[in-house]
Amino acid sequence: WSEGYVNNNVRSVTGVAQKAIEDTTSDLTADQRKALSDSYTVKSLTLQGYTAIKSEADFAAMDANGKYYLANDITVSTAYANEFTGVLNGNGKAITLNGVSLFNTFAGTFTNADITASTSVIATMNGGLVDGLTVYYTYSDAAVNAIAATSKRIARVENCIVYTDNSKTTFVAEV
């Protein structure tokens, strides 16, 4: 993906959204339509060459080195069983973790998701890239590393935000 390609597609999707707003708001003034359009945010895209994940069952069935994107918000009650070395684009969707990590072992690329968790998102990082996650860590008295509990290799964690009310929460385990 080149930045220009993605930006052009976002502009195309935004243009389609603008047309839909104009068609369904014909009784509004031009200024009112513009204000509505300006507040519209494109939250997700379909990624060519990637497989859609629409449910926890789809998530559990992923090939460890495949390329995926979230098509829906999902809730996960069982961590991914294998070491994940593929690509998962969260596509701006929400993932709720029910007391489990999303991945037991991770060495792939995971980007662009909003996660609600009460434990580490990744149990063990074996390298890889985590980028653009927003983690809402729910309160616990225990100390926890919000993104990764342990790290066996150097991994990249970029552009992530962790919200918590637990002063014992840290971002990522040391290597």
Side-chain angles (χ1 to χ4, degrees):
W1 289 90
S2 72
E3 183 176 334
Y5 179 78
V6 171
N7 286 340
N8 286 336
N9 281 328
V10 169
R11 277 193 288 278
S12 295
V13 171
T14 303
V16 169
Q18 173 68 32
K19 176 75 171 122
I21 289 169
E22 288 171 1
D23 289 347
T24 58
T25 59
S26 59
D27 57 330
L28 298 177
T29 68
D31 288 339
Q32 289 170 322
R33 279 196 306 272
K34 180 169 180 356
L36 183 60
S37 173
D38 289 346
S39 68
Y40 185 83
T41 301
V42 176
K43 183 79 171 169
S44 64
L45 299 171
T46 300
L47 302 174
Q48 292 181 358
Y50 287 62
T51 302
I53 300 297
K54 298 177 182 177
S55 66
E56 181 176 14
D58 290 345
F59 174 77
M62 292 188 309
D63 179 63
N65 61 357
K67 294 167 71 174
Y68 302 92
Y69 73 95
L70 289 181
N72 298 325
D73 296 344
I74 63 171
T75 298
V76 175
S77 299
T78 303
Y80 185 73
N82 302 310
E83 179 176 54
F84 187 76
T85 57
V87 177
L88 177 58
N89 184 320
N91 201 27
K93 303 297 182 192
I95 301 171
T96 300
L97 300 177
N98 278 342
V100 298
S101 294
L102 188 62
F103 297 103
N104 281 330
T105 308
F106 178 85
T109 300
F110 181 28
T111 61
N112 191 25
D114 293 336
I115 300 170
T116 300
S118 60
T119 188
S120 300
V121 174
I122 299 167
T124 301
M125 274 188 93
N126 247 347
L129 168 67
V130 174
D131 185 16
L133 301 185
T134 301
V135 179
Y136 301 92
Y137 180 75
T138 55
Y139 183 78
S140 168
D141 286 333
V144 69
N145 298 307
I147 303 289
T150 61
S151 183
K152 292 187 175 183
R153 294 187 187 164
I154 294 175
R156 289 178 30 208
V157 176
E158 301 176 350
N159 306 307
C160 295
I161 300 170
V162 175
Y163 294 99
T164 182
D165 58 359
N166 179 351
S167 63
K168 299 175 188 175
T169 300
T170 56
F171 208 62
V172 173
E174 293 182 22
V175 176

